[in-house]
């Protein structure tokens, strides 16, 4: 969770790296200007809203937050995302736009790669998943209930995960989900190769 300006800058930088965006060359900057990356815009706006919600106080900052939340809500609607603030750790990578629904009570660690048509939902309103670091969530995956997922886990496409899997470095899939095997998460979350 963002608790300071340095946290905000770290989360923002981690998200940019996770999305594989390189802003070093002039050509890249021109391309970004002409063809804006809406997912990057969404994630930066999400982090900014988190920063203003958690850190900034005062009347002026409340007005700025209100304006940012309106922009965030509109962009969320356009992209098909229903992602509340303060759920994801640094290094979030949304593969591309499409329906993504996340509970406000869920907690997801660092370096999550999230695909469309996926859902991280609560059962009974507040019993939501707690997901570890370096987790790949495939297209159409449903993760729900008061469960825990460990670190370096890959959730297969269209899996229905309603039980805890606290073992690290595993691949889970199926309906209902079960352990299929082990996985090297760096093959699915590419930017982790550079970190390790």
């Amino acid at each position: 969770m963002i608790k300071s300006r340095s946290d905000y800058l770290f989360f923002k930088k981690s998200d940019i790296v996770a999305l594989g965006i390189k802003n070093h060359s002039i050509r890249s900057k021109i391309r970004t200007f002409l063809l804006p990356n809406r997912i990057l815009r969404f994630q930066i706006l999400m982090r900014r809203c988190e920063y203003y919600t958690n850190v900034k106080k005062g009347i002026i900052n409340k007005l700025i937050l209100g304006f940012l939340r309106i922009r965030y809500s509109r962009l969320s609607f356009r992209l098909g995302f229903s992602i509340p603030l303060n759920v994801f750790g640094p290094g979030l990578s949304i593969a591309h736009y499409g329906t993504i629904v996340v509970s406000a009570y869920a907690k997801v660690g660092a370096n999550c790669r999230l695909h469309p048509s996926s859902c991280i939902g609560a059962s009974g309103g507040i019993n939501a998943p707690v997901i570890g670091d370096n987790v790949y969530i495939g297209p159409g995956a449903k993760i729900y209930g008061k469960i825990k997922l460990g670190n370096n886990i890959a959730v297969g496409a269209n899996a229905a995960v309603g039980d805890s899997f606290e073992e690290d470095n595993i691949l889970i899939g199926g309906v209902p989900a079960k352990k299929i095997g082990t996985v090297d998460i760096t093959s699915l979350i590419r930017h982790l190769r550079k970190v390790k």
Side-chain angles (χ1 to χ4, degrees), residues 29-43:
K29 290 180 181 179
I30 291 171
R31 183 172 182 235
T32 302
F33 178 75
L34 295 175
L35 300 167
N37 185 330
R38 293 191 178 169
I39 293 175
L40 174 63
R41 226 180 242 181
F42 171 82
Q43 288 188 211

Side-chain angles (χ1 to χ4, degrees), residues 38 41-42 45 71-80:
R38 293 191 178 169
R41 226 180 242 181
F42 171 82
L45 189 55
R71 286 181 54 207
Y72 182 71
S73 177
R74 287 181 179 170
L75 188 55
S76 296
F77 182 76
R78 267 190 249 140
L79 298 177

Side-chain angles (χ1 to χ4, degrees), residues 5 12 18 28 36 38 41 50 76 83 85 94-96 101 114 126 135-136 143 149 154 160-161 190:
R5 180 161 176 76
K12 183 176 159 183
S28 176
R38 293 191 178 169
R41 226 180 242 181
E50 290 173 351
S76 296
I83 301 176
L85 303 178
I94 299 173
H96 50 89
V101 178
L114 189 60
I126 59 171
V135 174
Y136 172 91
I143 303 169
L149 297 183
V161 184
R190 289 187 212 149

Side-chain angles (χ1 to χ4, degrees), residues 64-154:
I64 293 170
L65 176 61
F67 174 71
L68 290 173
R69 282 188 176 261
I70 290 169
R71 286 181 54 207
Y72 182 71
S73 177
R74 287 181 179 170
L75 188 55
S76 296
F77 182 76
R78 267 190 249 140
L79 298 177
F81 301 156
S82 178
I83 301 176
L85 303 178
N86 296 313
V87 171
F88 289 94
L92 173 64
S93 173
I94 299 173
H96 50 89
Y97 37 91
T99 305
I100 296 174
V101 178
V102 179
S103 168
Y105 297 102
K107 292 293 170 207
V108 182
N111 301 314
C112 178
R113 178 142 174 97
L114 189 60
H115 285 265
S117 300
S118 55
C119 175
I120 302 172
S123 63
I126 59 171
N127 297 319
V130 176
I131 300 173
D133 296 336
N134 309 327
V135 174
Y136 172 91
I137 301 173
K142 311 296 183 259
I143 303 169
Y144 57 90
K146 190 173 183 176
I147 63 168
K148 289 185 180 180
L149 297 183
N151 300 319
N152 305 319
I153 288 182

